[in-house]
Amino acid sequence: MSHRNQDKFGAVLLQVQDDLRQLRGNLEKISLSERTTLDIQVLDDAIRKTENSIKKHAEDYLKTVTEQLLVLPSIEDIHKKTVQIPKCKTLHRKPDLDSFPDMPPQREDLPGASQREKHKSTLSMHSLCNPAHPNNRAIMYRKSGTSLPDVHKRSTNVAKPPRMITGPAGRLKPWPRGHHNLAVPEEATGTRLMGSKSLCHKQLKWEKTPGHTCEKTDSKCTTFWTTRTPPPSTSSQSMEHRSMMQAANNLISQNHQNLPVPVPVNISKYPFAITKGRMDPLAADFCLFRQSFSSCWSSVVSALEALEKLLRDFAVPMAKVSGERLVEFSHGWDSGWRTARPVIGLVSVLENWEEVLGLVSRPGQRFKGEGGIEAAAIHIQSCWRRCVARTAYLRHCRRKWAAGTISLSWLTRSQMRRVREALQARRLRQLENSRSRAQNLAANWKHIQSSKRTIIHIPSLGYSQSQRLNLREFDILQNIQINRLCDIRDKNVEVIYVCPRHLGEDILHYYTSLLVRDGATDGAESRTTEASSSVRPFIILTPEAVDYFPTRNMCLSTLLKYSPRTLKRIRHLIQGKRAYIVGGVAHVDDLAVADELGVPILGPEPAIAQLYSTKSGGRRIFKGAEVDVPPGQGDIYTLNKLHEALAEIMTQNLGVQRWLFKIDSEHSGRGTAYCDVCHLSCYSWALQEYRRHSVELWNTKWIQESVLLRYSDEIPQWLTRFARPAKTSRYPNWACFLKTFLRQGGVVEAYPPSDSVTCLTVDLLLEPGGEVTALSCGDQLHGSCQLEAIGCTVPQTSVHPETLHSICTHVGRACLQRCIVGHVSVDLATFLNHNTMEQEVWAIDLDLTYSDQLAMTQMLLMRTGGTLNCHTGCLEVPVREKYCEDQPAAKSPVVNRYAVLGSHLFHSNLSMLYHNVFLMMCKAHGIRFNMKRKEGTVFALYDSSERCRIGMITVSEDLQGALVTFARNLSVIHQEISSSKMQEETNFKALIKNIEDVLQTIVQNKLRAVKDKPAA
């Protein structure tokens, strides 16, 4: 029998079965009255017998044609494969596939089975593949041990037999050995709702083995598949194509011009051609295809029409269609393929898909086909509309962004303005409250000084942020004035000391024992806590904000401002007491702290302090006080003004050998540079011109003009080549110094024209009541930098006390006139003028702050129990004589003592010793203080962690003895903590050298005094 006859015979059998089933349905619809005239039961039995007979002959026909039974393996032997239950459309539910056990694979061929067993297995598989069959659940349970749910119940008691697939069936060849079948085909139930797709398509589930390879050559990908299905039939080949096309669609959807579509290995059996988008319905190949798939033609027609339209739209001249792929595509059209890209899906059914896809993908090809002109017009219009809409959208986005930016900026600016105004109002309120409390303090000052009071010491260094960030160990520098605790030597004073860092138990114990042993606390009990150490007259508190900002170098007032617990404790301690604040370098946060505590500040307002604490501000006060100042000029902010001012004052003062340049806001010699006149090439000529005229004539402008012009020409180059900063740690060269000098302003001053210059510091208390009191005075001791003081000798011996008192009084009154109260430190320089042979005193600097020298002086007075009289220049100390020990009522005699104070002693190797070890070492070398004789050495300790900085005081009967003791102590300490192999950083050596020079000067002065006595 030919292949075509076989197809016709199968179609006939299928048609007969459909007619018999339709006849049975019509018989069931006959009314009861009609059934009385007919023997319905007999007719129904006859139809059922005929239907069963045709079914049996159809199975025998299929068995004969295929020469092989489509037998599934035993379900019990399937391993590691999930059985997929076909979807039941009537209930619209999908059974859970995870409940099926994994089964081992089994070969398709069963060589040992008989024909009867094969036939029985075939019938079982037919029942297993039909979910509506009554024995389906029982066979599934027997085969796999799985109990399926009862997903469908027939409405009638008569079960209709399943339909058989009667589509074109080729001659099935044996499957290669080693391949296995995989899954159960889709449902083929007799339910009327099942469409024609189930009659001509059985879905097979494919599995790609791990060992597959894919070789891509000339845009073709060959994939080796191993499946567990029966030998390939028409439907199985279509399923293979469907699985591969799904992967191809995913690839081409990304870039269909570059990624090829995998081509199935099988060859189409029903190809036909479409020419210029038109299909010939009378072509033999198309007629064969249509006749072969007539049962599902309704779904194929829609896909075929879509393909034709696609080919016409893109003017494809020739397309070869694979019938099997088209049928497969049509079955998936309603199952989700419509959501895929239609071009890729439709082109995939063609045999020459590469050629067609290249043609379809060609730019502008759509406009050559059917309706191309209209499509081109629509495309142009859409592009234009898109461009216009895009432009309008971008313009809208820009405007919206601009509006948002403007509004956000405005809101931010408004918020900042409100915050700024609120801060200004708050600070103005704090300033008004501070002024009110200051007036109250001034009115009651005498009464406060004579009664019990509490002094809140806040040694804050309120420098600018740039200065604070450039200072190393800033917290230690603020704690150098810890000796303010010694104010408790006045029995009416209690001290609250705000410490900028946490102190160790060793320092707390040291100061507690130091003050208790001196009897300053009258035997009061001492107590120490974690946050502070306190003896009844003094309390040490550390703000909690110190832990929050460890590296910000914030001044102590700011840290206290952000420490509510510490502020609360201070308010509790001063409640009901008279109290005031003694600060350091004035800062705006001082007002906030004072307003929070409700106490006055013994000091100037921050704005006034900032105005007059500069170098230029100090010169204005000195000129207002009518005291001598160095030749110079202040308030210089431009380079031209610097050159002009320097040329003018150099011309007027040719005897000055060195000129100093000081930055207004700097301190302690850090912002000072110098330049020597000897490097100026025209200086010798200028001296000759000066000697040609008398002093009175030289002061006229027309005589100085020639020298002034010569100086103006050479000064710029002279400064560039020979000017040097005094301390290169902050400003390494003149260029860096000059940049800051011109930005912040500064002064130009003359260095005293003498080989022997002595600088001294006087600490004044400008009382709110209007009195000026000198608290300390001492001659400065210098280290490596001659412009930075690291110690002093007390009392001063370089200027006559009356002259010093007059200068200090004038300066103090000038400060009071400018609303400056509190502690003020005045730096003076004295030297011998060789022209007049008289001593001159210049006022060179003014600091509106509590100085380190004053803090060390308080410790000196605390240890010795003496008083410092600056008006007479004497340090008077009471000493108990031996013969007076039996007379307690007798008054102790008062003797004069001299002391050397060093507040900035630095040695890097000191950190190797703990403080108690260091003190024991000094005690072993005899470095101690004798309380009976009021002589010896006292140390000031600043911190417990770094331990590189200390303070030291030596007291002796004369100045020479105090200097020798101080130098000896430095030498002993240096030898104990240093070795030849160690590298250290210290100022001990430079200070010892400076002390030796002072001792040599003292010896020379004594010899000169001895020589002058006989002459007198």
Side-chain angles (χ1 to χ4, degrees):
M1 184 181 291
S2 64
H3 179 68
R4 179 171 297 180
N5 294 333
Q6 295 174 5
D7 294 341
K8 290 181 179 180
F9 184 70
V12 170
L13 290 176
L14 182 60
Q15 185 64 34
V16 172
Q17 292 186 42
D18 291 339
D19 294 342
L20 289 174
R21 188 175 293 105
Q22 185 176 4
L23 179 58
R24 290 183 57 195
N26 293 334
L27 289 176
E28 293 176 359
K29 297 178 181 179
I30 297 176
S31 63
L32 182 59
S33 61
E34 294 176 350
R35 288 191 180 186
T36 57
T37 60
L38 297 175
D39 192 357
I40 301 302
Q41 185 64 34
V42 176
L43 183 58
D44 184 77
D45 294 340
I47 293 174
R48 181 178 288 107
K49 185 181 300 184
T50 304
E51 184 180 4
N52 292 336
S53 178
I54 292 175
K55 176 181 178 182
K56 181 176 182 299
H57 289 296
E59 292 177 354
D60 294 338
Y61 160 74
L62 290 175
K63 176 181 179 182
T64 304
V65 170
T66 60
E67 295 181 357
Q68 184 178 6
L69 296 178
L70 299 179
V71 181
L72 288 174
S74 177
I75 298 180
E76 289 82 354
D77 297 334
I78 296 178
H79 181 62
K80 294 183 180 179
K81 190 63 186 176
T82 303
V83 178
Q84 182 175 0
I85 300 301
K87 179 171 64 176
C88 181
K89 289 192 174 182
T90 59
L91 296 179
H92 302 282
R93 66 186 301 269
K94 185 175 180 180
D96 189 5
L97 301 183
D98 297 335
S99 62
F100 290 91
D102 295 335
M103 301 299 177
Q106 189 181 24
R107 297 181 184 274
E108 170 206 352
D109 299 331
L110 302 174
S114 62
Q115 292 296 330
R116 181 179 180 182
E117 293 176 350
K118 292 181 179 180
H119 180 67
K120 184 178 180 180
S121 177
T122 302
L123 296 179
S124 299
M125 289 302 104
H126 278 293
S127 300
L128 186 64
C129 296
N130 184 8
H133 196 278
N135 298 329
N136 178 272
R137 297 174 67 241
I139 295 174
M140 180 60 73
Y141 182 80
R142 185 172 65 253
K143 292 290 187 179
S144 63
T146 302
S147 179
L148 297 177
D150 190 5
V151 298
H152 181 69
K153 291 184 179 182
R154 299 297 300 267
S155 60
T156 62
N157 297 330
V158 181
K160 297 182 180 181
R163 297 182 181 181
M164 297 295 296
I165 298 177
T166 59
R171 194 174 185 83
L172 300 178
K173 297 181 181 181
W175 193 253
R177 187 177 184 87
H179 290 73
H180 312 286
N181 41 7
L182 180 64
V184 180
E186 256 186 344
E187 67 273 21
T189 64
T191 308
R192 297 180 185 272
L193 296 177
M194 301 295 292
S196 61
K197 292 186 291 184
S198 63
L199 299 178
C200 56
H201 170 64
K202 297 180 179 291
Q203 182 178 354
L204 297 177
K205 189 174 181 181
W206 295 77
E207 180 182 4
K208 193 172 181 180
T209 61
H212 78 282
T213 60
C214 181
E215 299 178 358
K216 181 178 178 181
T217 305
D218 297 334
S219 300
K220 293 183 180 181
C221 182
T222 303
T223 307
F224 298 95
W225 303 83
T226 60
T227 63
R228 299 174 182 174
T229 60
S233 62
T234 303
S235 60
S236 64
Q237 291 175 2
S238 65
M239 284 308 304
E240 178 184 1
H241 166 72
R242 178 179 179 182
S243 177
M244 297 178 66
M245 288 311 299
Q246 288 178 354
N249 287 338
N250 294 334
L251 295 175
I252 297 176
S253 63
Q254 299 176 4
N255 191 352
H256 58 270
Q257 296 181 358
N258 299 327
L259 300 177
V261 179
V263 181
V265 181
N266 59 324
I267 301 175
S268 176
K269 295 182 179 180
Y270 302 98
F272 60 92
I274 300 177
T275 304
K276 296 183 179 180
R278 304 290 180 181
M279 181 186 60
D280 186 5
L282 301 178
D285 51 0
F286 179 74
C287 291
L288 175 61
F289 167 71
R290 180 174 181 175
Q291 186 177 5
S292 300
F293 295 95
S294 60
S295 61
C296 55
W297 185 251
S298 61
S299 62
V300 176
V301 169
S302 60
L304 186 58
E305 291 176 353
L307 180 60
E308 289 180 347
K309 187 178 185 306
L310 174 66
L311 298 177
R312 288 196 305 271
D313 290 345
F314 287 92
V316 179
M318 173 64 69
K320 297 179 181 180
V321 183
S322 174
E324 291 87 342
R325 302 184 202 171
L326 182 60
V327 173
E328 178 67 23
F329 178 78
S330 65
H331 288 313
W333 189 262
D334 294 328
S335 304
W337 284 59
R338 289 185 183 272
T339 59
R341 299 185 62 178
V343 174
I344 303 301
L346 290 173
V347 170
S348 65
V349 305
L350 302 178
E351 291 185 349
N352 60 337
W353 63 270
E354 292 180 341
E355 180 182 354
V356 174
L357 184 61
L359 189 62
V360 170
S361 303
R362 183 182 303 171
Q365 184 65 26
R366 171 65 186 90
F367 310 130
K368 297 180 181 179
E370 187 179 69
I373 297 177
E374 291 79 1
I378 293 173
H379 183 72
I380 292 173
Q381 293 176 2
S382 64
C383 289
W384 172 250
R385 292 192 185 99
R386 181 185 62 185
C387 181
V388 173
R390 178 68 176 173
T391 303
Y393 174 73
L394 292 178
R395 186 184 301 112
H396 171 72
C397 289
R398 286 194 298 269
R399 291 177 178 177
K400 184 178 179 180
W401 171 83
T405 303
I406 293 173
S407 61
L408 182 61
S409 177
W410 173 254
L411 291 176
T412 304
R413 185 179 181 86
S414 300
Q415 182 67 18
M416 291 293 293
R417 179 176 54 82
R418 287 193 295 269
V419 172
R420 190 180 299 110
E421 291 176 355
L423 289 176
Q424 291 177 355
R426 183 177 181 180
R427 289 176 179 175
L428 181 60
R429 184 176 64 255
Q430 292 172 355
L431 180 60
E432 292 176 354
N433 295 339
S434 177
R435 290 175 178 175
S436 176
R437 288 189 292 266
Q439 292 177 359
N440 187 22
L441 179 67
N444 301 304
W445 176 252
K446 292 184 178 180
H447 176 68
I448 292 174
Q449 288 296 98
S450 61
S451 61
K452 289 186 176 296
R453 60 192 181 277
T454 300
I455 302 177
I456 305 173
H457 280 287
I458 306 176
S460 175
L461 298 180
Y463 300 136
S464 64
Q465 183 177 2
S466 59
Q467 291 176 319
R468 287 186 278 108
L469 293 178
N470 290 320
L471 288 174
R472 294 190 310 169
E473 301 174 349
F474 183 70
D475 52 348
I476 299 178
L477 293 179
Q478 292 186 111
N479 200 40
I480 285 179
Q481 297 184 7
I482 191 175
N483 296 319
R484 294 190 188 191
L485 292 170
C486 297
D487 280 348
I488 63 173
R489 61 192 181 91
D490 187 347
K491 295 182 179 181
N492 292 328
V493 174
E494 294 182 359
V495 173
I496 298 177
Y497 179 77
V498 181
C499 184
R501 63 181 302 155
H502 295 287
L503 299 180
E505 293 295 332
D506 51 352
I507 295 182
L508 296 176
H509 177 72
Y510 176 77
Y511 280 101
T512 301
S513 60
L514 181 70
L515 299 177
V516 170
R517 186 167 57 243
D518 290 340
T521 62
D522 293 334
E525 295 181 359
S526 62
R527 50 190 176 90
T528 304
T529 62
E530 294 180 1
S532 65
S533 174
S534 63
V535 180
R536 185 169 300 173
F538 75 93
I539 297 176
I540 300 176
L541 299 176
T542 301
E544 63 268 20
V546 171
D547 301 325
Y548 305 152
F549 311 102
T551 61
R552 303 292 295 182
N553 279 11
M554 300 173 69
C555 68
L556 188 56
S557 296
T558 304
L559 293 174
L560 184 58
K561 174 184 175 181
Y562 297 117
S563 303
R565 291 198 300 269
T566 306
L567 290 173
K568 182 178 180 180
R569 186 173 181 187
I570 295 176
R571 284 197 301 268
H572 176 72
L573 292 173
I574 64 176
Q575 186 175 6
K577 301 179 182 179
R578 295 183 180 274
Y580 58 88
I581 294 176
V582 176
V585 178
H587 191 269
V588 67
D589 288 335
D590 294 344
L591 299 180
V593 173
D595 192 65
E596 188 71 22
L597 298 177
V599 295
I601 300 176
L602 183 60
E605 297 178 3
I608 297 177
Q610 185 178 4
L611 177 63
Y612 291 106
S613 62
T614 61
K615 308 299 181 182
S616 301
R619 286 183 62 88
R620 289 195 294 269
I621 290 180
F622 292 147
K623 289 181 179 180
E626 299 180 353
V627 298
D628 294 336
V629 294
Q633 186 172 346
D635 298 318
I636 297 176
Y637 292 92
T638 62
L639 187 61
N640 292 333
K641 187 175 181 180
L642 173 64
H643 294 162
E644 293 175 1
L646 186 59
E648 182 178 356
I649 60 179
M650 286 178 63
T651 304
Q652 296 174 358
N653 301 273
L654 292 177
V656 177
Q657 300 295 319
R658 173 175 291 183
W659 291 92
L660 304 178
F661 308 90
K662 299 179 180 180
I663 299 176
D664 272 340
S665 58
E666 289 290 355
H667 57 91
S668 302
R670 297 174 71 251
T672 305
Y674 64 92
C675 192
D676 295 329
V677 180
C678 60
H679 301 293
L680 197 62
S681 59
C682 64
Y683 181 65
S684 300
W685 170 81
L687 287 178
Q688 294 177 1
E689 292 293 323
Y690 173 72
R691 294 190 183 101
R692 287 174 52 191
H693 306 84
S694 61
V695 178
E696 293 79 8
L697 188 62
W698 179 254
N699 292 330
T700 58
K701 296 292 183 182
W702 63 273
I703 295 180
Q704 299 177 359
E705 186 175 1
S706 60
V707 178
L708 179 63
L709 294 176
R710 187 77 176 269
Y711 273 175
S712 299
D713 294 336
E714 296 187 7
I715 279 178
Q717 186 178 3
W718 171 62
L719 291 177
T720 304
R721 295 182 57 185
F722 301 104
R724 296 289 183 272
K727 295 185 68 175
T728 56
S729 59
R730 179 66 178 91
Y731 303 101
N733 51 51
W734 167 253
C736 296
F737 179 88
L738 181 62
K739 183 178 179 180
T740 306
F741 180 89
L742 298 178
R743 184 176 66 250
Q744 299 182 3
V747 300
V748 178
E749 288 183 351
Y751 187 79
S754 175
D755 297 335
S756 178
V757 180
T758 302
C759 296
L760 62 152
T761 301
V762 182
D763 292 299
L764 305 177
L765 175 60
L766 307 181
E767 299 180 1
E771 299 294 332
V772 179
T773 305
L775 301 180
S776 174
C777 58
D779 296 328
Q780 295 180 2
L781 295 176
H782 305 278
S784 57
C785 178
Q786 294 297 321
L787 302 177
E788 180 184 13
I790 60 177
C792 63
T793 60
V794 177
Q796 64 85 25
T797 57
S798 57
V799 179
H800 193 277
E802 293 292 340
T803 303
L804 184 63
H805 177 73
S806 175
I807 293 174
C808 293
T809 302
H810 284 80
V811 173
R813 291 176 179 175
C815 291
L816 288 172
Q817 292 176 359
R818 292 165 176 80
C819 300
I820 299 175
V821 295
H823 295 276
V824 174
S825 179
V826 182
D827 290 342
L828 305 173
T830 179
F831 61 97
L832 184 64
N833 190 339
H834 296 287
N835 295 329
T836 61
M837 297 305 294
E838 294 181 357
Q839 184 183 21
E840 293 190 11
V841 180
W842 287 352
I844 58 177
D845 198 5
L846 178 66
D847 293 326
L848 307 182
T849 181
Y850 196 106
S851 68
D852 299 336
Q853 173 181 294
L854 179 58
M856 295 296 292
T857 302
Q858 296 294 337
M859 189 175 190
L860 169 65
L861 299 179
M862 181 78 182
R863 293 298 290 168
T864 59
T867 57
L868 179 61
N869 191 341
C870 297
H871 187 69
T872 59
C874 298
L875 174 60
E876 300 174 348
V877 177
V879 178
R880 187 181 298 276
E881 298 291 345
K882 293 183 179 180
Y883 61 86
C884 296
E885 290 181 358
D886 297 335
Q887 302 176 3
K891 188 175 180 180
S892 300
V894 176
V895 296
N896 292 334
R897 289 286 186 264
Y898 291 86
V900 179
L901 314 179
S903 57
H904 293 271
L905 304 180
F906 177 83
H907 202 297
S908 58
N909 292 345
L910 284 173
S911 60
M912 298 186 301
L913 300 178
Y914 288 102
H915 288 314
N916 54 355
V917 178
F918 171 76
L919 295 175
M920 291 176 61
M921 179 193 72
C922 294
K923 186 176 181 180
H925 287 83
I927 303 175
R928 62 173 66 184
F929 189 81
N930 191 326
M931 289 296 298
K932 292 183 178 181
R933 299 182 59 185
K934 301 297 177 69
E935 295 179 356
T937 304
V938 182
F939 291 99
L941 307 180
Y942 301 141
D943 71 298
S944 302
S945 57
E946 300 294 335
R947 300 188 302 276
C948 294
R949 297 179 183 271
I950 59 172
M952 185 170 64
I953 300 175
T954 58
V955 183
S956 183
E957 294 180 354
D958 54 3
L959 179 59
Q960 187 174 4
L963 289 170
V964 171
T965 304
F966 197 92
R968 173 185 171 276
N969 293 344
L970 292 179
S971 178
V972 170
I973 294 173
H974 177 72
Q975 292 177 3
E976 287 293 330
I977 63 178
S978 303
S979 65
S980 58
K981 298 181 180 180
M982 297 179 63
Q983 296 181 356
E984 68 275 345
E985 182 180 357
T986 180
N987 57 7
F988 284 13
K989 297 179 181 179
L991 184 56
I992 291 174
K993 184 177 182 303
N994 184 255
I995 291 176
E996 291 176 352
D997 295 340
V998 173
L999 289 174
Q1000 185 177 0
T1001 302
I1002 293 174
V1003 172
Q1004 292 177 358
N1005 292 336
K1006 287 183 177 182
L1007 293 177
R1008 188 180 298 110
V1010 171
K1011 292 180 181 179
D1012 293 342
K1013 279 185 179 181

